[in-house]
Amino acid sequence: MLYISCTFVSYDLIRVTRCDFGKQVLDGLQYLHWRGLTHLDLQPDNVLLTSARSIDVKLCDLGCAQRVSKQGTVVEQDRSYLPFTAPEILNGEPA
């Protein structure tokens, strides 16, 4: 669950802000799923606000993202494009 710390005076504004924030996070996840990706590392550190004055949310750190099929199964992919990946991970061995 994402925790948002707010210092606004009005409770209604806090509720609207949190709802808008949550909606944008869910919209971002829906877009990733529509593109056939799963994030797999969603945490508060990976959700960015682009401005302090408005709620504009960006999801970041897609390093753990996996490509999935429409049925939800993981699609094997060539990970040779990751130059800094440990050899154990590339070979499928436990790290």
Side-chain angles (χ1 to χ4, degrees):
M1 173 184 250
L2 296 174
Y3 174 74
I4 305 163
S5 175
C6 296
T7 57
F8 296 111
V9 176
S10 170
Y11 176 75
D12 290 334
L13 184 58
I14 292 172
R15 187 170 47 108
V16 168
T17 302
R18 287 184 180 180
C19 288
D20 190 32
F21 183 89
K23 181 184 178 309
Q24 287 191 33
V25 169
L26 292 175
D27 285 345
L29 290 174
Q30 182 180 22
Y31 176 77
L32 287 175
H33 294 174
W34 177 72
R35 302 288 296 179
L37 295 170
T38 57
H39 193 281
L40 298 180
D41 191 24
L42 188 62
Q43 57 185 339
D45 292 340
N46 295 335
V47 178
L48 303 176
L49 292 173
T50 60
S51 171
R53 298 188 186 275
S54 66
I55 303 295
D56 190 19
V57 175
K58 304 288 182 191
L59 298 178
C60 67
D61 192 10
L62 296 171
C64 293
Q66 292 284 324
R67 184 160 297 280
V68 294
S69 68
K70 296 294 181 187
Q71 291 80 23
T73 57
V74 175
V75 175
E76 292 297 322
Q77 59 184 358
D78 180 22
R79 294 183 173 226
S80 61
Y81 66 92
L82 300 174
F84 300 109
T85 303
E88 296 86 10
I89 302 297
L90 292 173
N91 292 332
E93 300 171 3

